[in-house]
Amino acid sequence: MQINNTSRLTDSLERELLAHAMEEQFRPHPIRAVGKLFNGLVSFTAAARAKTKMGQMI
């Protein structure tokens, strides 16, 4: 099925797509969670290093 800017959705199809999107929103995504954890660790490390450098300058 090809959808373009002139396509119209039926009410039932629109409800089905919306329900699927809402289900997907609350489904856990382990790869994203690992990525967030890694980014948090990198940010924490960078902040700790910057704070240490500032402490050494004073």
Side-chain angles (χ1 to χ4, degrees):
M1 179 173 144
Q2 289 185 333
I3 297 177
N4 57 34
N5 61 354
T6 60
S7 297
R8 292 187 181 235
L9 298 177
T10 62
D11 288 341
S12 61
L13 179 58
E14 186 175 2
R15 280 193 294 272
E16 189 177 323
L17 289 172
L18 185 58
H20 179 69
M22 290 176 72
E23 287 174 10
E24 185 68 26
Q25 180 180 3
F26 295 110
R27 185 174 298 156
H29 298 279
I31 302 295
R32 290 182 193 166
V34 170
K36 281 185 172 183
L37 176 65
F38 180 74
N39 287 338
L41 289 172
V42 169
S43 297
F44 176 76
T45 304
R49 285 184 180 171
K51 190 173 183 178
T52 302
K53 281 186 178 184
M54 290 298 276
Q56 291 175 351
M57 295 175 102
I58 295 176

